Structure formats: structure tokens, C-alpha cells
């Protein structure tokens, strides 16, 4: 459905996208992940025909974006990170406006708008102006505005930015429902926990390059069988703890990250009693402790050596 081969896009001397390749089969929910500035939005803009590629080839539904952009646009729906709604219009009127731009009219357009308001759980607010909506309601309406013309492919660029946990959960439910209906989705985010919940396949971009690509389980398996024990200790105890545990046979590494000590080990549960004994022997209180199994964020840190949100 989507084929990207050695895509590059430059802005002056900056290679915002630097030779990435990936493909997305029909009906797959593909997560395109990376920190701010990694090249995610630039990639989506090329796939949407908004920017021409400088190098490489991008084919959408059998059409090359450089040669037949009009055909590509008929296949895709785009939900931008910015809210693309008219604040002084009602929810229904916004969807009617976008539908008419796509050439829809009459009863067919009315039925489609009603379906989308139901999907977004906004049918009771259909006649309310968007300016009265909460952030989560605006995000839901923004999402379904990209679906008015029933696209085969949907691009979602950071669709949960700036909303609370409850609103985010509702957006994720909507995306799952679209995927279950067979829609092909490319989902860009820097929230790895969302990708773990939603995506079938994942690509991780860093500094314009694809640093990891594959099924979610395959990527997590690359980390290996490692646990992360995260401790919050008094700062004056950090150096001594790190020196003691760096030589432990079960310890694969120790570091300080975001003011906490992180211990990498093959068996977190087996190491906990030793940590507690070390603390007791020095009359230190454990302020906080977490044990984390390998996940996508662990993979990202291993690949790039920096936090995804930096």
C-alpha cells in the first residue's frame, strides 16, 4: 500500500530525512516514532504530496507521489498536529465544509457527517461551536475531519498532543476502531507507550534516519532479557551505590538518569534483596523504586543513548 525507498528531504544544508526506507501493507497500523525534530512530520508531508522528495521514491497505492500527486490525494486522509477547524462554526458545519471541499454533497454527505459525529461521540454537540469545546473534543473532531471522504489511508501526526489522559484514551480507542475496520494508518508520535498499545509495526527515526524497523515484538526482543531497576536515593549516596553495583555479577550497567539511579540487570526481582540489604547497612531509606521490563523506550535509549522526549 505504501512503499518508501531511500527517501531524503533537505532544507538548505539540513537533511531532515536522510535516506529512510519502509513499507506499510494494507490494513496495518504503522507507528512512525522519534523525538521532536527527528523528521517524522517532514516524512508525512512528503507522503501527503505537500513536499516533493529530493531523493528516493515514494509510492502510495500504486501511484508515485512525484508523478501522480492528484491520485495519491484521493487515497489519503490527513490529521495534522495543529487543529484544522473553524472555531466559530459548529462541529457539524465544520465536517460539512470539509466534505464539500472533497466534492461530496446532499444526503450522502449528511449521512457521512452523522456517522463521523457518532464515531467521535460528538453527535449531541453537533450544533455547538468548536470554540466551546474542550481540547479533547477538538482533537476528536479534528480526527474525523480527515475521514469525511472515506480515505483508504490515514496519516495521524501527533493526534494526542496537549490533551489529558482521559481524552487521549478516547482518541486511541477511535484509532483502534479505524484499524479494526481495515484502514491503513501511519501514526506519528513521540509517546512510546501509545505505540506499544496501538501499532502492528514500528519505525523509529532519529536525526532523519531510520534506527529501528519491524514488528513491535521483534523490536522489543532486540533489547534482550533485561530489567531496569530505577531508584530514587539521596544524591550524596549516588556515587557510592554506583561504585558498589557496577561490579555486581548480575548487573549489566548502572547510570544516573533524570536524577535517579538506573540499574540494568537480567533479573530485577533477584537483585532487589541485595539492594535493600545495601541500603539497610547504611541506614538509608528508599524513597522510590520501580522495576521496568524491556519496552520500546528501552530499545530507543539503547539505540540512541538519549531520551525520546529530548
Amino acid at each position: 500500500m505504501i512503499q518508501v525507498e531511500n527517501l531524503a528531504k533537505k532544507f538548505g544544508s539540513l537533511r531532515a530525512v536522510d535516506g529512510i526506507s519502509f513499507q506499510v501493507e494494507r490494513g496495518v497500523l504503522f507507528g512512525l516514532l522519534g523525538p521532536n525534530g527527528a523528521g517524522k512530520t517532514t516524512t508525512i508531508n512528503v507522503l501527503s504530496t505537500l513536499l516533493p522528495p529530493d531523493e528516493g521514491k515514494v509510492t502510495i497505492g500504486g501511484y508515485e507521489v512525484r508523478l501522480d500527486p492528484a491520485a495519491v490525494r484521493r487515497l489519503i486522509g490527513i490529521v495534522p498536529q495543529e487543529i484544522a477547524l473553524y472555531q466559530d462554526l459548529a462541529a457539524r458545519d465544520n465536517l460539512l465544509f470539509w466534505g464539500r471541499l472533497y466534492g461530496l454533497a446532499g444526503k450522502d454527505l449528511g449521512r457521512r457527517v452523522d456517522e463521523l459525529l457518532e464515531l467521535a461521540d460528538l453527535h449531541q454537540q453537533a450544533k455547538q461551536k468548536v470554540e466551546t469545546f474542550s481540547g479533547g473534543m477538538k482533537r476528536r473532531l479534528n480526527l474525523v475531519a480527515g475521514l469525511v471522504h472515506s480515505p483508504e489511508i490515514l496519516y495521524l501526526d501527533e493526534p494526542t498532543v496537549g490533551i489529558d489522559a482521559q481524552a487521549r484514551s478516547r482518541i486511541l480507542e477511535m484509532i483502534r476502531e479505524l484499524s479494526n475496520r481495515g484502514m491503513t494508518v501511519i501514526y506519528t508520535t513521540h509517546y512510546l507507550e501509545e505505540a506499544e498499545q496501538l501499532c502492528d509495526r514500528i519505525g523509529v527515526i532519529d536525526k532523519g534516519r531510520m534506527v529501528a524497523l519491524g514488528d513491535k515484538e521483534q523490536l522489543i526482543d532486540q533489547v534482550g532479557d533485561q530489567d531496569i531497576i530505577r531508584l530514587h536515593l539521596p544524591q550524596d549516596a549516588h556515587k557510592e551505590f554506583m561504585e558498589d553495583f557496577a561490579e555486581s555479577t548480575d548487573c549489566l550497567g548502572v547510570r544516573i538518569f533524570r536524577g535517579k539511579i538506573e540499574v540494568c540487570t537480567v533479573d530485577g526481582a533477584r537483585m532487589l534483596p541485595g539492594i535493600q540489604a545495601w541500603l539497610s547497612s547504611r541506614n538509608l531509606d528508599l524513597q522510590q523504586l520501580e522495576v521496568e521490563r524491556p519496552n520500546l523506550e528501552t530499545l530507543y535509549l539503547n539505540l540512541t543513548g538519549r531520551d525520546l522526549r529530548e
Side-chain angles (χ1 to χ4, degrees):
M1 196 65 175
I2 299 172
Q3 185 78 36
V4 178
E5 302 174 36
N6 300 313
L7 172 63
K9 183 64 187 176
K10 297 176 286 186
F11 298 100
S13 61
L14 173 66
R15 290 178 71 88
V17 179
D18 192 8
I20 67 171
S21 299
F22 64 93
Q23 64 181 19
V24 183
E25 302 295 338
R26 184 181 298 274
V28 167
L29 204 165
F30 180 82
L32 189 60
L33 314 181
N36 292 328
K40 304 186 304 297
T41 297
T42 300
T43 300
I44 292 297
N45 285 341
V46 173
L47 269 59
S48 305
T49 75
L50 298 176
L51 288 174
D54 292 325
E55 300 172 20
K57 182 179 178 181
V58 178
T59 306
I60 310 291
Y63 302 101
E64 189 175 344
V65 297
R66 194 197 303 267
L67 301 178
D68 204 344
V72 171
R73 290 177 194 137
R74 288 192 290 269
L75 295 176
I76 63 175
I78 306 170
V79 180
Q81 182 174 336
E82 299 78 15
I83 300 294
L85 302 169
Y86 289 97
Q87 301 293 315
D88 57 346
L89 291 182
R92 182 178 179 82
D93 290 336
N94 265 280
L95 297 183
L96 289 171
F97 170 80
W98 289 113
R100 292 185 184 111
L101 285 183
Y102 282 111
L104 305 177
K107 292 182 179 179
D108 289 342
L109 175 56
R111 280 193 294 267
R112 182 58 177 162
V113 167
D114 289 338
E115 290 173 2
L116 294 175
L117 289 169
E118 190 73 30
L119 174 64
D121 197 19
L122 292 172
H123 52 285
Q124 294 184 348
Q125 294 82 21
K127 296 182 179 181
Q128 289 182 218
K129 290 186 176 182
V130 171
E131 64 188 6
T132 68
F133 283 9
S134 67
M137 293 166 68
K138 290 178 182 179
R139 283 287 172 191
R140 299 203 305 271
L141 186 63
N142 198 52
L143 195 160
V144 296
L147 300 171
V148 175
H149 58 305
S150 302
E152 296 182 37
I153 302 167
L154 184 64
Y155 302 147
L156 296 166
D157 189 11
E158 304 278 4
T160 62
V161 167
I163 57 177
D164 61 36
Q166 184 175 2
R168 175 176 288 115
S169 178
R170 181 67 187 99
I171 291 285
L172 298 184
E173 287 176 11
M174 291 173 61
I175 296 167
R176 283 192 201 94
E177 185 171 346
L178 293 171
S179 179
N180 291 339
R181 293 179 183 181
M183 180 169 284
T184 304
V185 179
I186 292 187
Y187 185 85
T188 80
T189 183
H190 61 271
Y191 297 122
L192 284 176
E193 62 274 15
E194 292 182 3
E196 288 199 81
Q197 292 180 47
L198 287 176
C199 298
D200 306 310
R201 284 180 57 79
I202 287 169
V204 180
I205 293 182
D206 184 37
K207 299 177 181 178
R209 297 186 176 184
M210 191 73 76
V211 296
L213 178 67
D215 294 342
K216 177 173 58 181
E217 292 77 13
Q218 292 175 337
L219 295 181
I220 294 175
D221 285 346
Q222 290 182 24
V223 182
D225 189 16
Q226 301 175 10
D227 293 345
I228 299 294
I229 302 175
R230 193 169 291 113
L231 308 167
H232 191 182
L233 299 177
Q235 190 167 0
D236 58 6
H238 284 185
K239 182 178 179 181
E240 185 181 3
F241 182 90
M242 292 182 68
E243 289 175 350
D244 285 354
F245 274 81
E247 301 301 323
S248 170
T249 56
D250 290 332
C251 177
L252 303 178
V254 184
R255 69 170 186 168
I256 297 176
F257 184 67
R258 290 182 175 177
K260 297 180 181 179
I261 291 175
E262 291 190 345
V263 180
C264 181
T265 176
V266 294
D267 191 339
R270 190 171 63 181
M271 182 164 283
L272 291 178
I275 291 175
Q276 186 60 54
W278 187 91
L279 294 171
S280 297
S281 68
R282 289 157 178 80
N283 295 318
L284 292 175
D285 292 326
L286 181 62
Q287 299 174 13
Q288 186 179 350
L289 183 144
E290 307 167 36
V291 179
E292 183 179 279
R293 293 292 299 159
N295 56 24
L296 288 178
E297 188 152 10
T298 312
L299 171 71
Y300 192 91
L301 289 169
N302 284 1
L303 287 170
T304 68
R306 64 193 184 109
D307 183 39
L308 187 64
R309 294 172 181 81
E310 288 179 355

